[in-house]
Amino acid sequence: MSPEADSKRASHPAPFVERIGIPYPLRWGFVGLLIFMIGDGVEVTYLTDYLTQPDGGGLAGSQASFATVTLYGVGVLFGSWFSGTLSAIWGPRRVMWLGAGIWLVFEVLFLFVALPTRSLLVIAVIYGIRGLAYPLFAFAFLVWIQTISAPRMRGSAAGWFWFAFTGGLPTLGSAVAAVAIGLFGLSLYGTLVMSLFLVAIGAAIGCFAVREPAGLRPIADETVANPRSYRRLLEGIDILWRDKRTIAGFFTRLVNTAPQYGFFAMFPFTLGPAAPGGGFLTIGQVSLLATIAYAANIGANLFFGVFGDHFGWRRTVTVFGCCGCALATPLWYFGAVASQSFTVTAILGAVYGVLLAGFVPLSALMPSMVEPKDKGAALAILNTGAGGAALLGPVTVTLLYPIFGGGGVAIAYCVMYLIVAGVSRAIKSPVDPGEQARAEAAGAAPA
């Protein structure tokens, strides 16, 4: 950099949002993401139950679960993968448009076509397709963030992304639904219509208020002969054997939030009123427990994003994410059972939520350890792991709970975290602040 450029940079300090870790050109994208995910999260606490009601879809409980969990989860899984691979071809902004369009169109079809039919096939197919939407919108924005962020702030930017993402889904989304239904008396159907408007507002801000030009270009288009070729979709698969570190990243992200989904699927019938002999938590307390854990996680996302830029991305993931959660998961479950206290259970849930944020730097680490042309492919693998976690957590409960009970499930989650603690050591990047510090220390050491 020239002396003139240094002088100009010194006389024009970075904007405040950039100093706290938000890339300035994308600042409105974080606002749009938050509002979008609030709208997406409005339905999370009651939709399955609503579909079983006479004025809802009129489905059986297993049918409603199939539509809103299983088939929707498959849609999320595919949307998570395409968010990275399509961003590599089209540019992330166009993928965000696609995600927003799918959400709005298929939510309209869900509300005004599928629900009145009271048909499992129509409801499940339309809602399952809508499952593609939020990963395309949100995770394409994550690709955009990691594409333009300087290495020194990629961890911080990832922390702000997850702050906005989890702040909306499920935290503020559930809170908005609770206020709308409980305080203002809005019907369950009315809250679904309200979510449509919230998503439209967030999508408009995220898709049109951000003018950063790199979002409309294929990722690292100067490094490949034909950046818009659809053959690049295969890069989101063959990178697994071209760069084995991405396999380690996939499994680390897969385990990351799996216990989170599994515990809240299991708590109602292990600690709640459906537990054998009756549990010590009410359904309302189980919901409040989720809110407390997610609220603790939101604040910690910001901390570990910044902390990872100093301590090292990989070390933060291994020490605080993997090893920390390996301790926190059995402590949470067995501490709850032993204490029979909501207060103790909530505190231990908050501890887990905080340590779960130790995985935040993984979003900076994965795209930074591969060649520029493979950033989209690496993030596709990472995002697929995120989608798969929503299936792995509940599936673990389904398979192990009948045999080993809730304690066996908690121990299984602990073992998963310990396994990926070892696996995560393979995820290394030369621009990782921790790796750079170690290299500098080694270079400064006497021969």
Side-chain angles (χ1 to χ4, degrees):
M1 184 178 292
S2 67
E4 293 80 4
D6 284 335
S7 175
K8 184 176 181 181
R9 184 178 181 88
S11 62
H12 293 84
F16 172 74
V17 294
E18 194 145 314
R19 294 200 299 272
I20 62 173
I22 297 176
Y24 184 76
L26 300 184
R27 61 197 183 281
W28 284 108
F30 288 88
V31 176
L33 174 67
L34 175 63
I35 298 173
F36 186 102
M37 298 313 297
I38 289 173
D40 188 82
V42 162
E43 67 192 29
V44 72
T45 58
Y46 70 83
L47 181 61
T48 302
D49 181 64
Y50 175 64
L51 290 179
T52 66
Q53 297 180 12
D55 59 339
L59 305 179
S62 59
Q63 293 176 327
S65 178
F66 171 76
T68 61
V69 178
T70 306
L71 204 58
Y72 182 79
V74 172
V76 169
L77 193 65
F78 278 98
S80 299
W81 183 73
F82 279 114
S83 65
T85 53
L86 289 178
S87 291
I89 300 170
W90 296 347
R93 189 178 180 188
R94 289 188 174 92
V95 180
M96 291 176 69
W97 291 347
L98 175 63
I102 291 175
W103 205 104
L104 296 171
V105 169
F106 281 88
E107 181 71 359
V108 168
L109 292 175
F110 179 71
L111 292 175
F112 302 108
V113 176
L115 289 180
T117 67
R118 304 171 71 83
S119 164
L120 171 62
L121 177 63
V122 177
I123 291 173
V125 169
I126 289 177
Y127 193 72
I129 295 174
R130 209 208 78 184
L132 294 166
Y134 91 72
L136 289 172
F137 182 88
F139 294 150
F141 184 58
L142 177 60
V143 174
W144 200 352
I145 292 169
Q146 293 299 321
T147 299
I148 74 160
S149 296
R152 61 179 173 79
M153 62 182 294
R154 285 177 186 164
S156 305
W160 279 106
F161 169 84
W162 290 110
F163 176 87
F165 184 97
T166 57
L169 174 68
T171 312
L172 290 179
S174 300
V176 167
V179 170
I181 296 169
L183 188 61
F184 295 105
L186 200 63
S187 68
L188 298 181
Y189 185 84
T191 62
L192 293 176
V193 176
M194 177 186 67
S195 71
L196 182 66
F197 286 100
L198 287 172
V199 167
I201 294 170
I205 295 172
C207 291
F208 300 107
V210 183
R211 298 295 183 179
E212 200 282 323
L216 286 172
R217 297 196 298 266
I219 297 173
D221 57 346
E222 73 278 2
T223 66
V224 293
N226 187 4
R228 297 192 184 277
S229 171
Y230 285 91
R231 295 176 66 179
R232 296 194 69 197
L233 289 174
L234 297 177
E235 294 175 358
I237 299 175
D238 67 15
I239 193 176
L240 290 170
W241 52 85
R242 286 192 289 112
D243 191 334
K244 299 295 194 299
R245 293 173 299 176
T246 57
I247 300 177
F250 169 78
F251 281 110
T252 302
R253 184 62 186 90
L254 181 68
V255 172
N256 176 1
T257 49
Q260 165 190 311
Y261 293 108
F263 271 152
F264 288 115
M266 184 176 75
F267 280 171
F269 58 83
T270 55
L271 306 179
F280 66 95
L281 298 178
T282 66
I283 287 297
Q285 287 176 321
V286 172
S287 299
L288 183 57
L289 192 63
T291 302
I292 292 171
Y294 280 114
N297 176 253
I298 291 170
N301 284 339
L302 295 181
F303 170 79
F304 278 109
V306 177
F307 179 80
D309 284 337
H310 297 278
F311 184 68
W313 299 332
R314 199 276 304 163
R315 283 197 292 171
T316 301
V317 169
T318 301
V319 174
F320 294 95
C322 301
C323 296
C325 288
L327 294 173
T329 41
L331 181 65
W332 190 8
Y333 181 79
F334 290 111
V337 172
S339 68
Q340 296 287 296
S341 164
F342 170 76
T343 301
V344 172
T345 305
I347 291 172
L348 295 176
V351 170
Y352 173 70
V354 168
L355 291 170
L356 194 64
F359 286 95
V360 161
L362 190 61
S363 298
L365 187 54
M366 281 285 281
S368 298
M369 70 184 185
V370 298
E371 296 180 16
K373 71 180 182 66
D374 285 328
K375 285 182 181 289
L379 282 166
I381 298 301
L382 180 73
N383 297 341
T384 304
L391 293 177
L392 176 63
V395 164
T396 303
V397 175
T398 301
L399 295 177
L400 298 185
Y401 180 78
I403 304 172
F404 301 106
V409 173
I411 292 173
Y413 289 146
C414 172
V415 172
M416 288 181 188
Y417 279 126
L418 291 175
I419 290 172
V420 294
V423 169
S424 68
R425 294 178 60 82
I427 313 172
K428 295 182 179 181
S429 167
V431 298
D432 183 335
E435 298 299 324
Q436 288 183 332
R438 291 174 63 186
E440 291 171 1

